[in-house]
mmCIF file with all atom_site columns, all heavy atoms in Angstrom:
data_model
loop_
_atom_site.group_PDB
_atom_site.id
_atom_site.type_symbol
_atom_site.label_atom_id
_atom_site.label_alt_id
_atom_site.label_comp_id
_atom_site.label_asym_id
_atom_site.label_entity_id
_atom_site.label_seq_id
_atom_site.pdbx_PDB_ins_code
_atom_site.Cartn_x
_atom_site.Cartn_y
_atom_site.Cartn_z
_atom_site.occupancy
_atom_site.B_iso_or_equiv
_atom_site.pdbx_formal_charge
_atom_site.auth_seq_id
_atom_site.auth_comp_id
_atom_site.auth_asym_id
_atom_site.auth_atom_id
_atom_site.pdbx_PDB_model_num
ATOM 1   N N   . MET A 1 1   ? 8.624  18.797  45.584 1.00 0.00 ? 189 MET A N   1
ATOM 2   C CA  . MET A 1 1   ? 7.585  18.421  44.629 1.00 0.00 ? 189 MET A CA  1
ATOM 3   C C   . MET A 1 1   ? 7.355  16.912  44.705 1.00 0.00 ? 189 MET A C   1
ATOM 4   O O   . MET A 1 1   ? 8.295  16.134  44.701 1.00 0.00 ? 189 MET A O   1
ATOM 5   C CB  . MET A 1 1   ? 8.013  18.820  43.201 1.00 0.00 ? 189 MET A CB  1
ATOM 6   C CG  . MET A 1 1   ? 6.964  18.480  42.137 1.00 0.00 ? 189 MET A CG  1
ATOM 7   S SD  . MET A 1 1   ? 7.532  18.861  40.460 1.00 0.00 ? 189 MET A SD  1
ATOM 8   C CE  . MET A 1 1   ? 7.588  20.653  40.528 1.00 0.00 ? 189 MET A CE  1
ATOM 9   N N   . LEU A 1 7   ? 6.133  14.191  37.558 1.00 0.00 ? 195 LEU A N   1
ATOM 10  C CA  . LEU A 1 7   ? 5.823  13.487  36.318 1.00 0.00 ? 195 LEU A CA  1
ATOM 11  C C   . LEU A 1 7   ? 4.811  14.269  35.486 1.00 0.00 ? 195 LEU A C   1
ATOM 12  O O   . LEU A 1 7   ? 4.898  14.290  34.255 1.00 0.00 ? 195 LEU A O   1
ATOM 13  C CB  . LEU A 1 7   ? 5.289  12.089  36.640 1.00 0.00 ? 195 LEU A CB  1
ATOM 14  C CG  . LEU A 1 7   ? 6.308  11.132  37.255 1.00 0.00 ? 195 LEU A CG  1
ATOM 15  C CD1 . LEU A 1 7   ? 5.627  9.838   37.703 1.00 0.00 ? 195 LEU A CD1 1
ATOM 16  C CD2 . LEU A 1 7   ? 7.430  10.815  36.266 1.00 0.00 ? 195 LEU A CD2 1
ATOM 17  N N   . ALA A 1 30  ? 5.876  0.895   43.493 1.00 0.00 ? 218 ALA A N   1
ATOM 18  C CA  . ALA A 1 30  ? 6.323  -0.469  43.759 1.00 0.00 ? 218 ALA A CA  1
ATOM 19  C C   . ALA A 1 30  ? 7.680  -0.472  44.440 1.00 0.00 ? 218 ALA A C   1
ATOM 20  O O   . ALA A 1 30  ? 7.924  -1.251  45.373 1.00 0.00 ? 218 ALA A O   1
ATOM 21  C CB  . ALA A 1 30  ? 6.391  -1.250  42.444 1.00 0.00 ? 218 ALA A CB  1
ATOM 22  N N   . PHE A 1 32  ? 8.956  1.955   46.277 1.00 0.00 ? 220 PHE A N   1
ATOM 23  C CA  . PHE A 1 32  ? 8.800  2.470   47.637 1.00 0.00 ? 220 PHE A CA  1
ATOM 24  C C   . PHE A 1 32  ? 8.178  1.409   48.551 1.00 0.00 ? 220 PHE A C   1
ATOM 25  O O   . PHE A 1 32  ? 8.589  1.227   49.699 1.00 0.00 ? 220 PHE A O   1
ATOM 26  C CB  . PHE A 1 32  ? 7.917  3.719   47.620 1.00 0.00 ? 220 PHE A CB  1
ATOM 27  C CG  . PHE A 1 32  ? 7.677  4.300   48.980 1.00 0.00 ? 220 PHE A CG  1
ATOM 28  C CD1 . PHE A 1 32  ? 8.660  5.057   49.600 1.00 0.00 ? 220 PHE A CD1 1
ATOM 29  C CD2 . PHE A 1 32  ? 6.485  4.079   49.649 1.00 0.00 ? 220 PHE A CD2 1
ATOM 30  C CE1 . PHE A 1 32  ? 8.454  5.587   50.864 1.00 0.00 ? 220 PHE A CE1 1
ATOM 31  C CE2 . PHE A 1 32  ? 6.269  4.598   50.909 1.00 0.00 ? 220 PHE A CE2 1
ATOM 32  C CZ  . PHE A 1 32  ? 7.257  5.361   51.516 1.00 0.00 ? 220 PHE A CZ  1
ATOM 33  N N   . ARG A 1 42  ? 12.784 7.556   44.326 1.00 0.00 ? 230 ARG A N   1
ATOM 34  C CA  . ARG A 1 42  ? 12.948 8.744   43.479 1.00 0.00 ? 230 ARG A CA  1
ATOM 35  C C   . ARG A 1 42  ? 14.181 8.614   42.602 1.00 0.00 ? 230 ARG A C   1
ATOM 36  O O   . ARG A 1 42  ? 14.167 9.003   41.424 1.00 0.00 ? 230 ARG A O   1
ATOM 37  C CB  . ARG A 1 42  ? 13.043 10.003  44.353 1.00 0.00 ? 230 ARG A CB  1
ATOM 38  C CG  . ARG A 1 42  ? 11.721 10.457  44.947 1.00 0.00 ? 230 ARG A CG  1
ATOM 39  C CD  . ARG A 1 42  ? 11.839 11.901  45.450 1.00 0.00 ? 230 ARG A CD  1
ATOM 40  N NE  . ARG A 1 42  ? 12.879 12.029  46.465 1.00 0.00 ? 230 ARG A NE  1
ATOM 41  C CZ  . ARG A 1 42  ? 12.683 11.889  47.766 1.00 0.00 ? 230 ARG A CZ  1
ATOM 42  N NH1 . ARG A 1 42  ? 11.474 11.602  48.218 1.00 0.00 ? 230 ARG A NH1 1
ATOM 43  N NH2 . ARG A 1 42  ? 13.670 12.031  48.624 1.00 0.00 ? 230 ARG A NH2 1
ATOM 44  N N   . ALA A 1 53  ? 15.279 10.197  28.315 1.00 0.00 ? 241 ALA A N   1
ATOM 45  C CA  . ALA A 1 53  ? 15.593 11.440  27.601 1.00 0.00 ? 241 ALA A CA  1
ATOM 46  C C   . ALA A 1 53  ? 16.790 11.249  26.671 1.00 0.00 ? 241 ALA A C   1
ATOM 47  O O   . ALA A 1 53  ? 16.806 11.751  25.535 1.00 0.00 ? 241 ALA A O   1
ATOM 48  C CB  . ALA A 1 53  ? 15.875 12.554  28.609 1.00 0.00 ? 241 ALA A CB  1
ATOM 49  N N   . ASN A 1 59  ? 17.286 9.033   19.213 1.00 0.00 ? 247 ASN A N   1
ATOM 50  C CA  . ASN A 1 59  ? 16.350 8.669   18.165 1.00 0.00 ? 247 ASN A CA  1
ATOM 51  C C   . ASN A 1 59  ? 15.925 9.874   17.332 1.00 0.00 ? 247 ASN A C   1
ATOM 52  O O   . ASN A 1 59  ? 15.676 9.753   16.132 1.00 0.00 ? 247 ASN A O   1
ATOM 53  C CB  . ASN A 1 59  ? 15.124 7.985   18.774 1.00 0.00 ? 247 ASN A CB  1
ATOM 54  C CG  . ASN A 1 59  ? 15.424 6.572   19.246 1.00 0.00 ? 247 ASN A CG  1
ATOM 55  O OD1 . ASN A 1 59  ? 16.464 6.017   18.896 1.00 0.00 ? 247 ASN A OD1 1
ATOM 56  N ND2 . ASN A 1 59  ? 14.539 5.999   20.029 1.00 0.00 ? 247 ASN A ND2 1
ATOM 57  N N   . GLU A 1 69  ? 18.046 12.757  4.490  1.00 0.00 ? 257 GLU A N   1
ATOM 58  C CA  . GLU A 1 69  ? 18.466 11.891  3.388  1.00 0.00 ? 257 GLU A CA  1
ATOM 59  C C   . GLU A 1 69  ? 17.310 11.629  2.420  1.00 0.00 ? 257 GLU A C   1
ATOM 60  O O   . GLU A 1 69  ? 17.473 11.702  1.197  1.00 0.00 ? 257 GLU A O   1
ATOM 61  C CB  . GLU A 1 69  ? 18.976 10.564  3.954  1.00 0.00 ? 257 GLU A CB  1
ATOM 62  C CG  . GLU A 1 69  ? 19.361 9.542   2.895  1.00 0.00 ? 257 GLU A CG  1
ATOM 63  C CD  . GLU A 1 69  ? 19.645 8.182   3.492  1.00 0.00 ? 257 GLU A CD  1
ATOM 64  O OE1 . GLU A 1 69  ? 20.123 8.122   4.649  1.00 0.00 ? 257 GLU A OE1 1
ATOM 65  O OE2 . GLU A 1 69  ? 19.360 7.168   2.828  1.00 0.00 ? 257 GLU A OE2 1
ATOM 66  N N   . LEU A 1 113 ? 16.383 -10.669 5.610  1.00 0.00 ? 301 LEU A N   1
ATOM 67  C CA  . LEU A 1 113 ? 15.830 -11.998 5.918  1.00 0.00 ? 301 LEU A CA  1
ATOM 68  C C   . LEU A 1 113 ? 16.611 -13.101 5.201  1.00 0.00 ? 301 LEU A C   1
ATOM 69  O O   . LEU A 1 113 ? 16.931 -14.134 5.792  1.00 0.00 ? 301 LEU A O   1
ATOM 70  C CB  . LEU A 1 113 ? 14.355 -12.050 5.514  1.00 0.00 ? 301 LEU A CB  1
ATOM 71  C CG  . LEU A 1 113 ? 13.372 -11.293 6.419  1.00 0.00 ? 301 LEU A CG  1
ATOM 72  C CD1 . LEU A 1 113 ? 11.979 -11.322 5.830  1.00 0.00 ? 301 LEU A CD1 1
ATOM 73  C CD2 . LEU A 1 113 ? 13.357 -11.879 7.818  1.00 0.00 ? 301 LEU A CD2 1
ATOM 74  N N   . PHE A 1 127 ? 15.034 -29.299 10.700 1.00 0.00 ? 315 PHE A N   1
ATOM 75  C CA  . PHE A 1 127 ? 13.742 -29.245 11.379 1.00 0.00 ? 315 PHE A CA  1
ATOM 76  C C   . PHE A 1 127 ? 12.637 -28.714 10.472 1.00 0.00 ? 315 PHE A C   1
ATOM 77  O O   . PHE A 1 127 ? 11.661 -28.145 10.947 1.00 0.00 ? 315 PHE A O   1
ATOM 78  C CB  . PHE A 1 127 ? 13.856 -28.388 12.646 1.00 0.00 ? 315 PHE A CB  1
ATOM 79  C CG  . PHE A 1 127 ? 14.847 -28.911 13.644 1.00 0.00 ? 315 PHE A CG  1
ATOM 80  C CD1 . PHE A 1 127 ? 16.045 -28.251 13.867 1.00 0.00 ? 315 PHE A CD1 1
ATOM 81  C CD2 . PHE A 1 127 ? 14.608 -30.089 14.329 1.00 0.00 ? 315 PHE A CD2 1
ATOM 82  C CE1 . PHE A 1 127 ? 16.973 -28.740 14.782 1.00 0.00 ? 315 PHE A CE1 1
ATOM 83  C CE2 . PHE A 1 127 ? 15.516 -30.588 15.235 1.00 0.00 ? 315 PHE A CE2 1
ATOM 84  C CZ  . PHE A 1 127 ? 16.711 -29.923 15.467 1.00 0.00 ? 315 PHE A CZ  1
ATOM 85  N N   . LYS A 1 147 ? 18.979 -27.429 24.737 1.00 0.00 ? 335 LYS A N   1
ATOM 86  C CA  . LYS A 1 147 ? 19.972 -27.540 25.803 1.00 0.00 ? 335 LYS A CA  1
ATOM 87  C C   . LYS A 1 147 ? 21.240 -26.783 25.434 1.00 0.00 ? 335 LYS A C   1
ATOM 88  O O   . LYS A 1 147 ? 21.823 -26.067 26.255 1.00 0.00 ? 335 LYS A O   1
ATOM 89  C CB  . LYS A 1 147 ? 20.286 -29.011 26.072 1.00 0.00 ? 335 LYS A CB  1
ATOM 90  C CG  . LYS A 1 147 ? 19.181 -29.773 26.789 1.00 0.00 ? 335 LYS A CG  1
ATOM 91  C CD  . LYS A 1 147 ? 19.565 -31.228 26.981 1.00 0.00 ? 335 LYS A CD  1
ATOM 92  C CE  . LYS A 1 147 ? 18.441 -32.009 27.666 1.00 0.00 ? 335 LYS A CE  1
ATOM 93  N NZ  . LYS A 1 147 ? 18.799 -33.444 27.811 1.00 0.00 ? 335 LYS A NZ  1
ATOM 94  N N   . GLU A 1 171 ? 22.178 -12.159 17.639 1.00 0.00 ? 359 GLU A N   1
ATOM 95  C CA  . GLU A 1 171 ? 23.016 -11.049 18.065 1.00 0.00 ? 359 GLU A CA  1
ATOM 96  C C   . GLU A 1 171 ? 23.166 -10.018 16.949 1.00 0.00 ? 359 GLU A C   1
ATOM 97  O O   . GLU A 1 171 ? 23.130 -8.806  17.198 1.00 0.00 ? 359 GLU A O   1
ATOM 98  C CB  . GLU A 1 171 ? 24.386 -11.560 18.501 1.00 0.00 ? 359 GLU A CB  1
ATOM 99  C CG  . GLU A 1 171 ? 25.403 -10.469 18.862 1.00 0.00 ? 359 GLU A CG  1
ATOM 100 C CD  . GLU A 1 171 ? 24.960 -9.594  20.021 1.00 0.00 ? 359 GLU A CD  1
ATOM 101 O OE1 . GLU A 1 171 ? 23.991 -9.938  20.725 1.00 0.00 ? 359 GLU A OE1 1
ATOM 102 O OE2 . GLU A 1 171 ? 25.595 -8.531  20.214 1.00 0.00 ? 359 GLU A OE2 1
ATOM 103 N N   . ARG A 1 174 ? 19.980 -8.094  16.852 1.00 0.00 ? 362 ARG A N   1
ATOM 104 C CA  . ARG A 1 174 ? 19.892 -7.187  18.006 1.00 0.00 ? 362 ARG A CA  1
ATOM 105 C C   . ARG A 1 174 ? 20.701 -5.920  17.743 1.00 0.00 ? 362 ARG A C   1
ATOM 106 O O   . ARG A 1 174 ? 20.232 -4.802  17.995 1.00 0.00 ? 362 ARG A O   1
ATOM 107 C CB  . ARG A 1 174 ? 20.399 -7.883  19.272 1.00 0.00 ? 362 ARG A CB  1
ATOM 108 C CG  . ARG A 1 174 ? 20.251 -7.050  20.550 1.00 0.00 ? 362 ARG A CG  1
ATOM 109 C CD  . ARG A 1 174 ? 20.943 -7.721  21.727 1.00 0.00 ? 362 ARG A CD  1
ATOM 110 N NE  . ARG A 1 174 ? 22.389 -7.622  21.598 1.00 0.00 ? 362 ARG A NE  1
ATOM 111 C CZ  . ARG A 1 174 ? 23.114 -6.574  22.016 1.00 0.00 ? 362 ARG A CZ  1
ATOM 112 N NH1 . ARG A 1 174 ? 22.510 -5.551  22.590 1.00 0.00 ? 362 ARG A NH1 1
ATOM 113 N NH2 . ARG A 1 174 ? 24.425 -6.553  21.870 1.00 0.00 ? 362 ARG A NH2 1
ATOM 114 N N   . ARG A 1 176 ? 21.563 -4.690  14.870 1.00 0.00 ? 364 ARG A N   1
ATOM 115 C CA  . ARG A 1 176 ? 20.927 -3.929  13.794 1.00 0.00 ? 364 ARG A CA  1
ATOM 116 C C   . ARG A 1 176 ? 19.744 -3.126  14.341 1.00 0.00 ? 364 ARG A C   1
ATOM 117 O O   . ARG A 1 176 ? 19.538 -1.965  13.970 1.00 0.00 ? 364 ARG A O   1
ATOM 118 C CB  . ARG A 1 176 ? 20.465 -4.887  12.690 1.00 0.00 ? 364 ARG A CB  1
ATOM 119 C CG  . ARG A 1 176 ? 19.828 -4.197  11.491 1.00 0.00 ? 364 ARG A CG  1
ATOM 120 C CD  . ARG A 1 176 ? 19.352 -5.221  10.474 1.00 0.00 ? 364 ARG A CD  1
ATOM 121 N NE  . ARG A 1 176 ? 20.465 -5.845  9.795  1.00 0.00 ? 364 ARG A NE  1
ATOM 122 C CZ  . ARG A 1 176 ? 21.056 -5.343  8.710  1.00 0.00 ? 364 ARG A CZ  1
ATOM 123 N NH1 . ARG A 1 176 ? 20.617 -4.204  8.196  1.00 0.00 ? 364 ARG A NH1 1
ATOM 124 N NH2 . ARG A 1 176 ? 22.052 -5.962  8.139  1.00 0.00 ? 364 ARG A NH2 1
ATOM 125 N N   . LEU A 1 227 ? 17.418 -11.041 37.110 1.00 0.00 ? 415 LEU A N   1
ATOM 126 C CA  . LEU A 1 227 ? 18.068 -10.997 35.802 1.00 0.00 ? 415 LEU A CA  1
ATOM 127 C C   . LEU A 1 227 ? 17.325 -10.115 34.809 1.00 0.00 ? 415 LEU A C   1
ATOM 128 O O   . LEU A 1 227 ? 17.798 -9.895  33.705 1.00 0.00 ? 415 LEU A O   1
ATOM 129 C CB  . LEU A 1 227 ? 18.189 -12.415 35.225 1.00 0.00 ? 415 LEU A CB  1
ATOM 130 C CG  . LEU A 1 227 ? 19.075 -13.384 36.006 1.00 0.00 ? 415 LEU A CG  1
ATOM 131 C CD1 . LEU A 1 227 ? 19.105 -14.741 35.320 1.00 0.00 ? 415 LEU A CD1 1
ATOM 132 C CD2 . LEU A 1 227 ? 20.488 -12.829 36.151 1.00 0.00 ? 415 LEU A CD2 1
ATOM 133 N N   . LYS A 1 230 ? 15.959 -3.128  33.301 1.00 0.00 ? 418 LYS A N   1
ATOM 134 C CA  . LYS A 1 230 ? 15.326 -2.067  32.541 1.00 0.00 ? 418 LYS A CA  1
ATOM 135 C C   . LYS A 1 230 ? 16.228 -1.739  31.354 1.00 0.00 ? 418 LYS A C   1
ATOM 136 O O   . LYS A 1 230 ? 17.407 -1.402  31.540 1.00 0.00 ? 418 LYS A O   1
ATOM 137 C CB  . LYS A 1 230 ? 15.153 -0.824  33.407 1.00 0.00 ? 418 LYS A CB  1
ATOM 138 C CG  . LYS A 1 230 ? 14.265 -1.027  34.620 1.00 0.00 ? 418 LYS A CG  1
ATOM 139 C CD  . LYS A 1 230 ? 12.807 -1.108  34.250 1.00 0.00 ? 418 LYS A CD  1
ATOM 140 C CE  . LYS A 1 230 ? 12.276 0.254   33.861 1.00 0.00 ? 418 LYS A CE  1
ATOM 141 N NZ  . LYS A 1 230 ? 10.842 0.213   33.562 1.00 0.00 ? 418 LYS A NZ  1
ATOM 142 N N   . TYR A 1 233 ? 18.411 1.774   31.413 1.00 0.00 ? 421 TYR A N   1
ATOM 143 C CA  . TYR A 1 233 ? 19.528 2.071   32.302 1.00 0.00 ? 421 TYR A CA  1
ATOM 144 C C   . TYR A 1 233 ? 19.990 0.883   33.135 1.00 0.00 ? 421 TYR A C   1
ATOM 145 O O   . TYR A 1 233 ? 20.878 1.021   33.980 1.00 0.00 ? 421 TYR A O   1
ATOM 146 C CB  . TYR A 1 233 ? 19.171 3.246   33.224 1.00 0.00 ? 421 TYR A CB  1
ATOM 147 C CG  . TYR A 1 233 ? 18.150 2.936   34.290 1.00 0.00 ? 421 TYR A CG  1
ATOM 148 C CD1 . TYR A 1 233 ? 18.531 2.682   35.606 1.00 0.00 ? 421 TYR A CD1 1
ATOM 149 C CD2 . TYR A 1 233 ? 16.802 2.892   33.974 1.00 0.00 ? 421 TYR A CD2 1
ATOM 150 C CE1 . TYR A 1 233 ? 17.592 2.395   36.574 1.00 0.00 ? 421 TYR A CE1 1
ATOM 151 C CE2 . TYR A 1 233 ? 15.858 2.611   34.945 1.00 0.00 ? 421 TYR A CE2 1
ATOM 152 C CZ  . TYR A 1 233 ? 16.263 2.366   36.242 1.00 0.00 ? 421 TYR A CZ  1
ATOM 153 O OH  . TYR A 1 233 ? 15.323 2.081   37.193 1.00 0.00 ? 421 TYR A OH  1
ATOM 154 N N   . GLY A 1 235 ? 18.465 -0.988  35.418 1.00 0.00 ? 423 GLY A N   1
ATOM 155 C CA  . GLY A 1 235 ? 17.929 -1.229  36.752 1.00 0.00 ? 423 GLY A CA  1
ATOM 156 C C   . GLY A 1 235 ? 17.241 -2.581  36.836 1.00 0.00 ? 423 GLY A C   1
ATOM 157 O O   . GLY A 1 235 ? 16.787 -3.133  35.835 1.00 0.00 ? 423 GLY A O   1
#
Side-chain angles (χ1 to χ4, degrees):
M189 181 184 292
L195 292 173
F220 179 78
R230 285 196 301 270
N247 287 346
E257 176 189 329
L301 286 175
F315 300 109
K335 287 179 182 178
E359 175 61 13
R362 184 188 73 86
R364 182 182 288 274
L415 296 180
K418 298 286 287 183
Y421 71 101

